């Protein structure tokens, strides 16, 4: 299934009321996942999928609202890839996109300091929607510093709990007969900790073909996020695809960072609609929230830049620091048995 790519640098974005641009088709290498969070984003992505495949099935009231807002149904691109969190109240995937399910670690740990549901509950949910799911994350424990501080725990503890829960989740998924692809999550805060996580997963047969980079959502620190992603790509063999969780549009606008990732998800595609009451009150008053979000889906793709000079500079380059870290043998540790499960 194809997905829409970020608009090319020279492409003009349509203004409010214009048809959504069909955009540039995404390459097979990079997969951009539209995170479905709010109710309006859910309806927007669902409408985009339906409009691109079976527009006759659209609700008549919705169709009238779309036409009144000046949306050209023939120009709505299909959302090939989308992500939804298990922690969402409405976490049901719907027909259309290839779905990537997030275990929801950060959001539930921020609220409760632990998971309020079991791994068995998570796997039962995955089993229910297995035929619609392409990938899912193995349950992990976020290493965001604010979460660790609030829970009075350290990074190594959450790394070890992540490994423990990865093992249990894989065993439960195998017993349930899941066909979707599991994604192991690299956890840490700095590059040394992420590489420790990768070394341990690889050494113990837990490294999946796609590896997620967790705890990378760091507002106002795009340079730090870019550096971690690029160093991980330099250090980790290319046979492993890298997925960035919650990557901002600002981070993805950097060519080297974009080429270091094989896929990413973000909510930033809907930011224009989310802030419309402040930034464009006339538009917000005139257009329903879900249509504003649908228009943002067309207007706010991250812009992919193919800078060949940047790519050439990266060929054969690996920082001495990263090379040294990547060559270290993994330290064997015994996962702590105590703590939430």
């Amino acid at each position: 299934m194809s997905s829409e790519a970020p608009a090319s640098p020279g492409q003009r974005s349509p203004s409010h009321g214009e048809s959504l641009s069909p955009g540039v088709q995404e390459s097979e290498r990079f997969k951009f996942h539209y995170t479905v969070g709010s109710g309006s984003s859910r309806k927007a992505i669902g409408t985009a999928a339906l409009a691109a495949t079976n527009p006759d099935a659209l609700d008549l009231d919705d169709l009238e609202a779309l036409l009144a807002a000046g949306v050209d149904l023939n120009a709505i691109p299909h959302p090939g890839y989308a992500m939804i969190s298990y922690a969402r109240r409405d976490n049901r995937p719907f027909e259309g996109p290839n779905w990537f399910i997030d275990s929801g670690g950060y959001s539930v740990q921020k609220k409760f300091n632990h998971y309020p549901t079991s791994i068995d509950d998570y796997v039962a949910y995955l089993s229910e929607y297995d035929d619609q799911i392409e990938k899912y994350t193995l349950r992990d424990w976020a290493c965001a510093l604010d979460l660790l501080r609030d829970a009075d725990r350290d990074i190594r503890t959450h790394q070890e709990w992540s490994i423990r829960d990865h093992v249990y989740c894989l065993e439960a998924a195998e017993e349930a007969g899941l066909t979707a692809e599991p994604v192991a999550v690299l956890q840490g805060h700095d590059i040394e900790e992420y590489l420790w996580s990768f070394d341990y997963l690889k050494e113990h047969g837990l490294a999946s073909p796609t590896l997620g980079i967790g705890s990378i959502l760091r507002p106002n620190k795009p340079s730090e996020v870019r550096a971690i992603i690029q160093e991980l790509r330099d250090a980790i063999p290319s046979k492993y695809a890298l997925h960035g969780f919650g990557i901002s549009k600002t981070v993805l606008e950097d060519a080297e960072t974009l080429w270091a990732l094989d896929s990413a998800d973000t909510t930033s595609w809907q930011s224009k609609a989310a802030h419309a009451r402040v930034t464009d009150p006339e538009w917000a008053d005139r257009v329903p929230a879900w249509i504003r979000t649908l228009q943002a889906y067309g207007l706010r793709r991250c812009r992919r830049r193919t800078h060949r000079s940047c790519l050439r500079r990266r060929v054969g380059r690996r920082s001495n620091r990263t090379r040294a870290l990547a060559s270290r043998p993994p330290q064997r540790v015994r996962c702590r048995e105590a703590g939430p499960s």
Side-chain angles (χ1 to χ4, degrees):
M1 185 180 299
S2 64
S3 175
E4 285 302 314
S8 60
Q11 186 176 2
R12 182 180 67 87
S13 295
S15 59
H16 309 322
E18 286 189 64
S19 301
L20 294 177
S21 167
V24 181
Q25 287 298 314
E26 185 174 353
S27 76
E28 294 181 359
R29 193 199 69 84
F30 184 80
K31 296 178 175 64
F32 185 88
H33 293 70
Y34 296 92
T35 301
V36 175
S38 64
S40 60
S41 66
R42 181 181 180 87
K43 185 166 184 177
I45 294 299
T47 300
L50 196 59
T53 57
N54 187 17
D56 291 339
L58 286 169
D59 180 84
L60 288 179
D61 289 338
D62 291 346
L63 181 59
E64 289 181 1
L66 288 167
L67 295 176
V71 176
D72 180 0
L73 295 180
N74 294 321
I76 298 178
H78 188 281
Y81 300 91
M83 170 170 280
I84 196 167
S85 172
Y86 169 61
R88 297 292 306 178
R89 180 175 300 175
D90 189 353
N91 57 16
R92 299 167 299 159
F94 47 82
E95 187 176 354
N98 288 316
W99 285 99
F100 192 154
I101 307 299
D102 179 27
S103 65
Y106 180 85
S107 57
V108 297
Q109 290 167 47
K110 188 172 183 62
K111 185 175 182 178
F112 302 108
N113 289 335
H114 61 85
Y115 280 94
T117 59
S118 69
I119 293 177
D120 291 328
D121 292 333
Y122 180 46
V123 172
Y125 156 81
L126 295 171
S127 298
E128 183 177 356
Y129 300 104
D130 189 42
D131 60 339
Q132 298 182 60
I133 299 171
E134 181 183 42
K135 294 182 174 72
Y136 66 93
T137 63
L138 299 172
R139 198 169 83 163
D140 64 314
W141 292 78
C143 289
L145 298 184
D146 59 327
L147 297 187
L148 294 170
R149 182 174 56 252
D150 293 344
D152 194 25
R153 295 194 286 262
D154 58 26
I155 288 174
R156 184 53 56 87
T157 297
H158 273 207
Q159 286 179 314
E160 293 175 5
W161 287 1
S162 294
I163 293 166
R164 176 199 64 191
D165 285 6
H166 274 30
V167 172
Y168 190 103
C169 200
L170 285 170
E171 292 174 346
E174 182 178 7
E175 185 176 343
L178 291 185
T179 60
E181 178 187 335
V183 174
V185 182
L186 304 176
Q187 280 294 352
H189 182 75
D190 58 32
I191 186 62
E192 291 91 345
E193 291 156 348
Y194 282 109
L195 288 175
W196 180 92
S197 178
F198 169 71
D199 287 340
Y200 196 95
L201 291 171
K202 180 174 179 290
E203 188 74 9
H204 293 80
L206 299 172
S208 51
T210 297
L211 296 169
I213 306 174
S215 305
I216 204 73
L217 178 58
R218 303 178 190 183
N220 305 317
K221 294 184 178 180
S223 297
E224 183 177 304
V225 173
R226 291 168 180 163
I228 289 172
I229 292 171
Q230 292 174 30
E231 290 196 66
L232 284 174
R233 182 69 286 169
D234 284 341
I236 293 175
S238 60
K239 70 176 183 178
Y240 296 102
L242 294 182
H243 178 90
F245 291 111
I247 305 298
S248 70
K249 176 176 175 288
T250 302
V251 170
L252 288 177
E253 284 180 333
D254 176 71
E256 291 194 55
T257 303
L258 185 60
W259 279 93
L261 292 169
D262 297 274
S263 59
D265 67 86
T266 185
T267 59
S268 63
W269 64 271
Q270 55 184 302
S271 60
K272 188 176 186 65
H275 302 297
R277 288 291 177 190
V278 175
T279 60
D280 198 341
E282 186 276 331
W283 182 45
D285 288 338
R286 179 169 52 85
V287 179
W290 70 273
I291 296 182
R292 296 199 306 268
T293 307
L294 180 63
Q295 290 180 313
Y297 158 69
L299 302 177
R300 287 292 180 174
R301 299 186 189 93
C302 61
R303 282 163 169 71
R304 182 176 184 175
R305 302 171 182 172
T306 309
H307 297 317
R308 296 187 182 277
S309 59
C310 290
L311 299 179
R312 283 198 295 268
R313 286 199 300 270
R314 295 195 72 236
V315 173
R317 188 200 73 184
R318 177 179 290 185
S319 69
N320 292 332
R321 176 168 174 261
T322 303
R323 184 188 297 111
L325 289 169
S327 63
R328 293 185 315 182
Q331 301 176 21
R332 299 182 179 275
V333 299
R334 180 175 180 273
C335 293
R336 295 181 176 89
E337 296 297 333
S341 59

